Amino acid sequence: MIAEQKIEKTIINIAPQMNDGNHGLHYEENLLWEKERCDHSGVDLPKPDGTALRTGQSARGSIGLPQVSEPQVVRHFVRLSTWNYSIDHGFFPLGSCTMKHNPRLNEKMARLPGFAHVHPLQPESTVQGALRVMYELQNWLAELTRLPGVCLTPAAGAHGELAGMMTIRRAHEAKGQGHRKIVLVPDSAHGTNPATAVICGYTTKTIKTSETGRLTIDAFKEALGNGDDIAGMMVTNPNTCGLFESDIHEIARLLHEAGGYFYCDGANFNALVGKIRPGDFGVDVMHINLHKTFSTPHGGGGPGSGPICVTEELAPYMPVPVVVKNEDTFHLAYEDERPETLGRLRGFVGQFGMHVRALAYMMSHGADGLKQVSEDAVLNANYLLSQLKDVYHVPYKGTCMHECLLTDKIQKEKGVSTLDIAKALCEHGYHPMTTYFPLVLPGTMLIEPTETESKDAIDRFVIVMRSIAEDVAKGDTEKFHHYPVSTPRKRMNEVQAARHPKLRWKENS
Amino acid sequence: MRYLPQTKQSRKHMLAAVGVENIDALYKDIPADAFIKGLADLPLHQGELEVERTLSAYANQNHAAPQGSFFLGGGLYYHHIPATVDHIIQRSEFLTAYTPYQPEIAQGTLTAIFEFQTFIAQLTGQDVANASMYDGATATAEAALMALRINKTRHKICIGNALHPDYRAVLKSYMGNHEDTEVFDGLPDADTACVILQSPDFYGQPHGYESWRKICDETGALLVVVINEIISLGLLPAPESADIVCGEAQSIGIPMGFGGPHCGFFACRETYLRQMPGRLIGETVDEDGRRSFVLTLNTREQHIRREKATSNICTNQGLMALAFTIHMALLGEDGFKQLARLNHETACRLADALEKIPGVTLLNEHFFNEFTIKLSKNAKDVVKAMAERGIIAGYALDDNQLLLAATEMTTEKDIATLITALQEILL
Amino acid sequence: MVDILKYTPEHEWIKIENDNIAVIGITQYAQDALGDLVYVELPETGRKLSKGDEFAVVESVKTAAEVYTPVSGEITAINDNLSNDPELIKKSLAEGWIVKIKMDNPDEIADLMDQDAYTKFCEEQDH
C-alpha cells in the first residue's frame, strides 16, 4: 500500500513539458527556474562561520533564484548551445559583420594566467607584460592604418565611433572652432553613425549616394556648403554597398580645406588591411573592430573591441589611458600626462582580453598574411558575385570589394522577398546575409564571404542561392513564406513580443 | 597562412571566373598612392608555436593573482570561476555565433540571455533588465542619459556619495557632450534628473536607500543605484526602491583580465522600459505556438532610429553575460548567498587582523568585502614595498589610505603573509 | 457646421472641430507603411506645440514613425486608449485619433491638402 502511493506520487511529480518535443538530436529545454529545485548548490563552498555581520544592515531574505546541480547546469547549457548557428558550423556571409574563422590559439593566449588573472590597478612593475601587449597592438594598428595615435579603450565599434567623434569635437573646441556642429553622413551609413553624432551633441546632414552606389564630389560639395559649421564627415570606406569611394581623396581634401575632419568607420577594414592604409587617403580618425578584421570571436553579440587610430594632430585629444614606453618600461598615461585629452570613456584600460586575441591573430598572419587576408576576402566576394549576378539583381555594376550587394528585385515580382530568401537560407543550413541594409535601396542583401572560406564552400552556397532563384523563377514560391521549418523554431511572432514585452521569467506567468 | 584555405590553383580559377587578370584589377578604384609599397613594416607570419612562445613570455612578466596574497579590488574582484563556466563559453555554438538577429537559428543565445535578464532583475529587485552593457562605468553614464530623457526638462546629474573614480570620469566625459548638463556632488534640487548612489561605495561602505528615496521623491529626481561588487547582493538588501540599478557583474564567472572584457548590467522599473538603452530579449511564440525568444523593442535602437536612438550602443557583452548566467546557475540561491557571506567573513577576518597592527586604523564603520584603512606611512610606498615582496596589497588612495578587498580566494596564509609584511614595513 | 478634413505630406490627417480644435491622426497610407502597430508614445496634455513639432511616435516591430503637428497650439486631449491598443489607430477617425490641439492660428490649415490633393499626392509617392 505504501509502495503504491510512492509510485503514484513519483509519476505526478514529473512535469509534463519536460521531454516534450525531443526527437533525434533535437532536445527541448526548459528554463532554470522551471527545473525541480535541488536542495543544494551546484558549487561546493566552505561553510560560513556565522560570525556577526559588519555590514550595518540585516541579511537579505529570499531572492527567488533557481537551484540545480552541476550536471544539470552542464546539460542545460549544452542543449541550449545546440540551438545556435555559428561560424564553426558553416558559412556565415553576414555583410559588414566579417564573420571569419576564430583561431583557438587566441583563446588559449587570452587565458594564460598572466593575462586572465591580473588587475589593471596593480603596480605597473607587476604588469609589464600586459602593458607590452597593448603597446605592441597600438603599434600594429598605427602601422596598418598609418594613423600614429592609437587608443585601445573603446569597448566596441559604436563605442569607438563615439571616442573618435568626441576626439574631433575636443580638437575643434581646443582650436576655438566649437561652433562647428554639423556632421556629414552618407545615406548608406550604418545606423550607428548618425546615432553617435547625436550623442556627441552634433546634428547630421545627409550626403546622397549616387546611382553608382558611391559618393560624388558634387553631392559632397552640396552638403558641405561653405563648410563654416561643418565639424566633420563620417564615411565607411569601402562603403556599405561594398564599393570603394573612388573620389575619397578629393572629398577628404575639400573637407580638410573647409576645416572639417574625416572620420572613417572601420567596419570594412577587412578589404584593405595590409594593403591600403586609410591614413593615405585622407582619414583623420578611424575605429577598428577587432572582432571583425582581427577575428576576436563575436560571442553571440559581444564582447567586441573598438580601438581608435588618429592623426598626429588629433592624438593629444583622444581618450585615456594610452600605453607609452619610457626607455625599457611600459606605462599607462592618464589625464595628468595628457592634459588635452577628452577624458575616459570606459572603466580601466579597455577590453584587454580582446587585445591579446587580436595581437595573437596579427602575429600569426604577419604583414604578408594580412595582405593575403584582404586579397582573398576581395577575391571571394567577387567570385561569389560572378556566380550569382545572372539570377539576382545587382544594383551597382562592376567589381566589388570584400562584400557584394544584391537585391530581391527579380524575386519580388513573384512575391518572394529578401526576408523569404533569408529564411530559406536558414532552412538550407546557412546563416543568411545581411538583409535590408544598406537602406539606400529596397530589399538589399549584403553578402560578405570573408577570406576564411574555401572555393568549395562558396560553390556550395552558390548552389543553394541559385536553386532558390530557380524555384522562384519557376513559380514554386509558396514554401518560401513558411521557411524555415527544419530549425528548432519557426518564424517568430515579433508583434506579440513587442506589444506585450515579457523580458524575464516570472512565477505563474 | 594556416587560417587561409584558398590555394594558388583556386585563386587562379576564381580570378578567371571574375574575368580579371590579377588581384590588383579588383582594387582599381583606389588611388595609387594609398597602396602600401610591398609589405607593411611589420613582422612576417609566424607559426602557432612561435606566437605562443612570445605571448607566454609576456604573460610570465605579470604578477598573476593565483600567485597568492592578492588584496586588490576597487570595482574589479578576484573570485573563483568554476571550470564548467569556461568550458561552456568556449563551445563553438556560443563563442562563434553572431548577435541573434535570426531567432530561428539563435535560440541558444536568446534563451541564455533571457535567463541573464531574469537573474539581474531578481538580484537588483527591479522589474526588468537588459541584455548587458559594456561595463559598469558606461552603464552608469547610460543611466544618467536615460534619466535626462525621462526628466526631459532637467539638466543636472547629482553624485550622491563616493562613486568609483573611473565611473565618475566616464560619466563626466559623456555629459561633456551636452553643454547644458552639469554633474555635481551633493544633494539634488528641482533641476536634478537623477541621484547616483553607489553601494557599497568606492571605499567599501554599504548604504541604505530609504533616506535617499525620500530625498529623490521630494525633488522629483530618479534614484540610480550603482553596484560594482554584485556578490554583495547576496547579503545586502536589494535596492528595490531605486528607479534604475546598474553596475558591473564581473565578479560572477568573469576573470579580471586586466580590465576586460567584463559585463555591465542595467535594470529598471517597468515604467521606464522604453527609455532603456541596449538590447532586450523578449518572450514570444513561433508559428507553431512554441515558446521562443527574440530581440525585441528594436525600434529604440540605432539601426532603426538612427539619430533618434536611445543610445548608440549596438552590442552587449553576450559571452560575458553567458558566463555570468552559467555561474549563477551553478551557485543557485543557497550558493550565491553562501558565497556572499564567505566574502564578508573573510573581509571581517582581514579587518580584525589589520586592526591589531599598530599604525593601522580601519576607516569603515561597515563594509561588505572591501574597506579602507589608514596607515602610518604613505600608502603608495607601502603598496610598492609589498609588490617587491610578491604581495598585491590593495589600491593606494590619497596619502596614507589603502583600499583592500578580501574574497573567497583569500586564505588564512594570504592574510598572515600580508600582516607580517605590513608590520615590517610600518616599523 | 461641416467638419473640415485636411492632410499633410507626412501623412497625418487633421479634422477641425468647433473652429479651433484640430484632431490629429495618421492616414491609411501611413498605417499601411508601418504594418502591425505595437506601441504609441503619447505626449502629455497641456504641452504647447509649434507647427512642425514632433508630438508622438507610432511604432511597429520594424520601424518607428514620428508624428508632427501641422498647426501650432496647446494639446487639450490625448487618446489614452491607444496605450493599451495601438491598433485602434486604424479603426476610424473617431477611435484612432492621437491628440486634440487648440489652435493658436487656424489659418495654418490653409496650406494643407484636401482629400483630392492628398489622394493624388499618395499616388505620386507610389511611383
Side-chain angles (χ1 to χ4, degrees):
Chain A
M1 191 65 193
I2 291 164
E4 263 173 47
Q5 269 180 345
K6 224 178 188 171
I7 290 164
E8 201 177 53
K9 205 164 175 227
T10 311
I11 291 167
I12 290 164
N13 273 348
I14 296 173
Q17 75 274 21
M18 285 290 267
N19 290 312
D20 198 12
N22 292 351
H23 52 89
L25 277 174
H26 173 86
Y27 296 95
E28 287 292 315
E29 181 63 14
N30 55 8
L31 298 176
L32 292 165
W33 289 261
E34 293 160 348
K35 295 182 186 300
E36 191 183 1
R37 193 181 168 81
C38 184
D39 68 356
H40 56 271
S41 167
V43 179
D44 285 326
L45 293 164
K47 206 170 173 295
D49 302 336
T51 47
L53 295 183
R54 294 172 73 176
T55 58
Q57 302 182 40
S58 52
R60 184 171 182 177
S62 170
I63 304 170
L65 304 175
Q67 188 147 295
V68 286
S69 63
E70 179 177 304
Q72 288 171 291
V73 171
V74 170
R75 193 168 287 166
H76 176 70
F77 288 102
V78 167
R79 283 184 172 194
L80 290 187
S81 77
T82 63
W83 295 0
N84 268 3
Y85 188 87
S86 73
I87 182 70
D88 286 353
H89 272 94
F91 192 49
F92 210 126
L94 201 60
S96 221
C97 300
T98 316
M99 291 298 283
K100 59 166 79 172
H101 170 62
N102 299 139
R104 289 312 196 276
L105 168 65
N106 308 348
E107 294 305 305
K108 186 176 176 187
M109 293 301 94
R111 285 168 169 81
L112 293 170
F115 293 144
H117 303 299
V118 286
H119 193 301
L121 300 178
Q122 279 178 229
E124 280 182 353
S125 63
T126 69
V127 289
Q128 284 296 303
L131 294 174
R132 181 168 187 154
V133 165
M134 294 177 69
Y135 184 77
E136 290 193 2
L137 180 61
Q138 287 175 188
N139 286 348
W140 278 79
L141 291 175
E143 170 61 20
L144 291 170
T145 58
R146 206 169 166 256
L147 293 164
V150 181
C151 173
L152 300 177
T153 60
H159 205 220
E161 279 180 36
L162 183 67
M165 290 311 290
M166 284 175 70
T167 302
I168 288 174
R169 193 186 141 119
R170 184 83 181 174
H172 279 311
E173 281 168 0
K175 293 197 305 183
Q177 296 286 307
H179 59 276
R180 293 175 177 267
K181 287 282 185 236
I182 295 174
V183 174
L184 304 176
V185 182
D187 50 5
S188 64
H190 291 108
T192 46
N193 293 170
T196 300
V198 168
I199 286 188
C200 283
Y202 286 134
T203 52
T204 58
K205 194 167 165 187
T206 305
I207 318 174
K208 258 193 105 57
T209 300
S210 75
E211 61 281 2
T212 64
R214 292 184 171 88
L215 295 174
T216 63
I217 292 174
D218 286 346
F220 173 75
K221 278 185 177 164
E222 198 191 314
L224 183 68
N226 68 13
D228 286 351
D229 47 2
I230 303 294
M233 159 176 90
M234 298 180 87
V235 168
T236 309
N237 197 22
N239 68 23
T240 59
C241 302
L243 306 172
F244 194 89
E245 296 289 0
S246 39
D247 286 326
I248 200 65
H249 228 146
E250 178 61 9
I251 288 173
R253 196 187 64 75
L254 291 167
L255 177 71
H256 288 149
E257 209 173 76
Y261 291 110
F262 177 5
Y263 182 89
C264 184
D265 182 322
N268 293 342
F269 193 45
N270 211 43
L272 309 179
V273 62
K275 198 167 168 78
I276 289 136
R277 295 183 291 199
D280 287 330
F281 60 78
V283 171
D284 297 298
V285 189
M286 181 173 180
H287 82 261
I288 302 293
N289 296 292
L290 295 184
H291 48 287
K292 295 182 182 177
T293 318
F294 300 107
S295 189
T296 71
H298 281 76
S305 182
I308 57 166
C309 304
V310 308
T311 56
E312 206 172 338
E313 182 195 344
L314 291 177
Y317 310 108
M318 61 184 186
V320 286
V322 293
V323 180
V324 293
K325 193 177 176 191
N326 298 336
E327 290 171 20
D328 286 335
T329 57
F330 300 96
H331 164 65
L332 284 166
Y334 285 98
E335 292 89 337
D336 49 343
E337 291 168 57
R338 301 182 64 84
E340 301 286 330
T341 177
L342 63 88
R344 293 191 212 192
L345 285 182
R346 186 195 179 281
F348 307 111
V349 300
Q351 312 259 55
F352 175 77
M354 301 295 119
H355 305 161
V356 178
R357 289 170 176 89
L359 184 63
Y361 177 82
M362 289 178 180
M363 290 168 74
S364 297
H365 268 308
D368 49 340
L370 289 174
K371 185 179 180 192
Q372 194 68 55
V373 161
S374 144
E375 291 181 354
D376 282 358
V378 170
L379 179 58
N380 279 357
N382 276 287
Y383 176 67
L384 183 54
L385 178 63
S386 75
Q387 304 301 298
L388 293 177
K389 66 182 179 188
D390 57 325
V391 289
Y392 288 94
H393 171 240
V394 180
Y396 306 119
K397 304 298 171 219
T399 58
C400 61
M401 294 301 290
H402 67 306
E403 55 193 356
C404 60
L405 187 67
L406 308 175
T407 85
D408 62 0
K409 196 172 171 190
I410 298 169
Q411 289 70 33
K412 198 79 200 250
E413 283 169 21
K414 303 269 174 130
V416 173
S417 67
T418 288
L419 177 75
D420 298 323
I421 295 167
K423 298 303 181 191
L425 284 172
C426 293
E427 176 62 19
H428 293 294
Y430 284 97
H431 194 286
M433 64 290 276
T434 291
T435 54
Y436 300 100
F437 180 84
L439 307 171
V440 286
L441 292 168
T444 46
M445 294 181 269
L446 189 62
I447 310 181
E448 179 180 7
T450 85
E451 75 283 1
T452 60
E453 296 304 327
S454 63
K455 176 174 173 294
D456 178 62
I458 297 172
D459 285 340
R460 286 167 193 278
F461 177 71
V462 165
I463 291 169
V464 172
M465 283 294 284
R466 293 190 72 93
S467 77
I468 290 171
E470 266 167 44
D471 283 353
V472 176
K474 279 191 303 206
D476 181 8
T477 58
E478 181 51 31
K479 60 188 181 190
F480 285 99
H481 307 303
H482 303 289
Y483 280 155
V485 295
S486 308
T487 45
R489 288 291 182 272
K490 295 186 183 172
R491 290 194 192 188
M492 306 285 158
N493 188 339
E494 297 192 26
V495 172
Q496 180 184 320
R499 241 179 232 168
H500 308 289
K502 201 170 157 192
L503 307 174
R504 61 177 287 192
W505 179 87
K506 257 186 186 162
E507 198 145 28
N508 307 321
S509 71
Chain B
M1 306 284 182
R2 59 189 177 279
Y3 305 144
L4 300 175
Q6 295 301 7
T7 62
K8 280 198 187 96
Q9 194 57 36
S10 67
R11 287 185 188 114
K12 219 168 122 187
H13 184 100
M14 290 161 73
L15 284 169
V18 174
V20 292
E21 289 263 315
N22 54 45
I23 188 74
D24 282 331
L26 297 174
Y27 287 86
K28 63 181 179 339
D29 293 330
I30 301 177
D33 52 1
F35 283 87
I36 296 171
K37 311 283 177 280
L39 290 176
D41 187 15
L42 292 164
L44 298 181
H45 72 274
Q46 295 178 42
E48 188 158 333
L49 174 63
E50 288 77 26
V51 174
E52 193 169 331
R53 197 175 275 152
T54 304
L55 290 177
S56 299
Y58 293 179
N60 288 338
Q61 290 170 9
N62 301 326
H63 178 107
Q67 288 168 245
S69 295
F70 190 91
F71 298 93
L72 188 51
L76 184 51
Y77 301 90
Y78 179 44
H79 290 290
H80 184 251
I81 302 170
T84 301
V85 175
D86 200 37
H87 168 74
I88 291 173
I89 68 167
Q90 286 202 70
R91 280 186 67 93
S92 292
E93 299 90 332
F94 285 129
L95 183 73
T96 77
Y98 194 71
T99 303
Y101 285 136
Q102 299 290 339
E104 298 90 342
I105 52 173
Q107 284 298 303
T109 296
L110 288 161
T111 309
I113 302 297
F114 184 82
E115 292 186 331
F116 172 81
Q117 291 177 176
T118 307
F119 274 129
I120 294 294
Q122 288 189 317
L123 291 177
T124 56
Q126 294 288 305
D127 299 326
V128 287
N130 76 9
S132 73
M133 314 285 283
Y134 298 147
D135 73 346
T138 51
T140 305
E142 291 284 351
L145 288 172
M146 177 168 153
L148 290 168
R149 285 196 294 277
I150 292 166
N151 276 327
K152 271 189 208 116
T153 57
R154 301 181 176 216
H155 302 95
K156 288 163 140 182
I157 305 294
C158 169
I159 299 179
N161 66 354
L163 182 64
H164 191 290
D166 281 15
Y167 290 30
R168 173 186 286 267
V170 172
L171 178 68
K172 287 208 166 166
S173 306
Y174 270 70
M175 292 306 137
N177 294 322
H178 302 262
E179 275 144 24
D180 51 353
T181 310
E182 187 195 328
V183 180
F184 72 102
D185 290 86
L187 291 171
D189 59 19
D191 194 28
T192 304
C194 69
V195 174
I196 297 175
L197 190 75
Q198 181 177 327
S199 181
D201 68 20
F202 182 64
Y203 303 112
Q205 180 82 25
H207 290 261
Y209 306 109
E210 255 174 60
S211 58
W212 283 100
R213 179 72 262 173
K214 223 176 124 212
I215 292 166
C216 286
D217 287 342
E218 280 160 16
T219 55
L222 298 186
L223 178 59
V224 176
V225 169
V226 175
I227 309 273
N228 64 22
E229 173 46 291
I230 198 160
I231 294 176
S232 68
L233 291 175
L235 188 60
L236 300 174
E240 280 161 6
S241 62
D243 297 292
I244 299 171
V245 181
C246 62
E248 180 57 69
Q250 172 269 331
S251 286
I252 297 288
I254 303 166
M256 296 184 294
F258 199 58
H262 297 152
C263 183
F265 69 86
F266 198 104
C268 70
R269 296 183 182 215
E270 190 139 28
T271 332
Y272 304 127
L273 174 61
R274 283 172 196 272
Q275 295 298 336
M276 233 181 165
R279 282 196 189 128
L280 294 167
I281 310 297
E283 185 183 319
T284 187
V285 291
D286 77 349
E287 264 182 19
D288 292 345
R290 293 175 296 184
R291 177 170 69 183
S292 314
F293 301 96
V294 288
L295 283 168
T296 192
L297 305 183
N298 298 326
T299 46
R300 304 164 305 117
E301 288 193 66
Q302 41 72 30
H303 63 278
I304 294 179
R305 294 306 297 275
R306 298 172 80 88
E307 291 89 347
K308 305 215 170 205
T310 50
S311 159
N312 78 326
I313 294 177
C314 46
T315 42
N316 53 335
Q317 296 275 98
L319 201 69
M320 302 295 103
L322 174 67
F324 174 92
T325 307
I326 299 163
H327 194 179
M328 280 305 295
L330 286 165
L331 285 166
E333 173 101 12
D334 296 349
F336 183 67
K337 284 182 169 165
Q338 201 174 336
L339 180 61
R341 210 170 251 273
L342 278 172
N343 271 262
H344 181 57
E345 290 185 355
T346 312
C348 289
R349 281 200 295 280
L350 177 64
D352 289 343
L354 285 165
E355 280 184 300
K356 288 189 189 120
I357 304 178
V360 174
T361 321
L362 179 69
L363 297 181
N364 288 53
E365 191 185 351
H366 301 292
F367 56 85
F368 171 64
N369 67 352
E370 187 168 27
F371 50 78
T372 308
I373 56 173
K374 199 172 160 205
L375 301 168
S376 55
K377 283 195 176 160
N378 179 282
K380 280 203 172 72
D381 295 341
V382 171
V383 167
K384 212 175 141 203
M386 288 282 196
E388 282 160 12
R389 293 162 197 243
I391 301 165
I392 304 297
Y395 184 62
L397 303 165
D398 295 342
D399 303 331
N400 292 13
Q401 295 183 12
L402 183 66
L403 182 67
L404 296 101
T407 70
E408 78 283 1
M409 303 300 270
T410 314
T411 63
E412 291 307 313
K413 193 170 156 244
D414 292 337
I415 295 176
T417 308
L418 177 84
I419 298 297
T420 310
L422 194 58
Q423 279 168 332
E424 285 169 21
I425 291 164
L426 291 182
L427 265 182
Chain C
M1 191 187 301
V2 183
D3 284 346
I4 301 170
L5 196 55
K6 293 272 197 175
Y7 301 88
T8 74
E10 283 80 35
H11 304 284
E12 289 104 9
W13 56 257
I14 298 94
K15 197 173 86 167
I16 308 300
E17 292 177 350
N18 306 329
D19 287 343
N20 68 344
I21 299 289
V23 186
I24 304 179
I26 60 168
T27 66
Q28 175 88 40
Y29 186 94
Q31 293 163 17
D32 291 347
L34 282 163
D36 292 322
L37 301 182
V38 298
Y39 185 68
V40 182
E41 188 182 307
L42 294 165
E44 53 293 347
T45 50
R47 203 165 114 195
K48 302 249 189 219
L49 296 171
S50 302
K51 180 178 169 174
D53 283 355
E54 172 198 325
F55 66 84
V57 182
V58 181
E59 290 185 19
S60 65
V61 174
K62 298 289 179 205
T63 192
E66 290 83 29
V67 192
Y68 303 92
T69 174
V71 293
S72 308
E74 184 183 326
I75 298 176
T76 56
I78 56 165
N79 186 357
D80 254 336
N81 294 334
L82 299 178
S83 329
N84 297 325
D85 187 3
E87 285 279 304
L88 273 183
I89 278 195
K90 299 176 177 173
K91 279 226 167 142
S92 64
L93 301 197
E95 282 178 280
W97 61 278
I98 301 171
V99 292
K100 295 186 182 185
I101 295 173
K102 189 175 168 197
M103 293 187 284
D104 293 342
N105 177 10
D107 292 346
E108 280 174 344
I109 62 163
D111 302 339
L112 303 175
M113 290 178 271
D114 62 17
Q115 177 75 58
D116 289 349
Y118 180 67
T119 308
K120 215 173 137 212
F121 175 79
C122 289
E123 276 166 13
E124 280 165 11
Q125 294 265 301
D126 286 335
H127 289 288

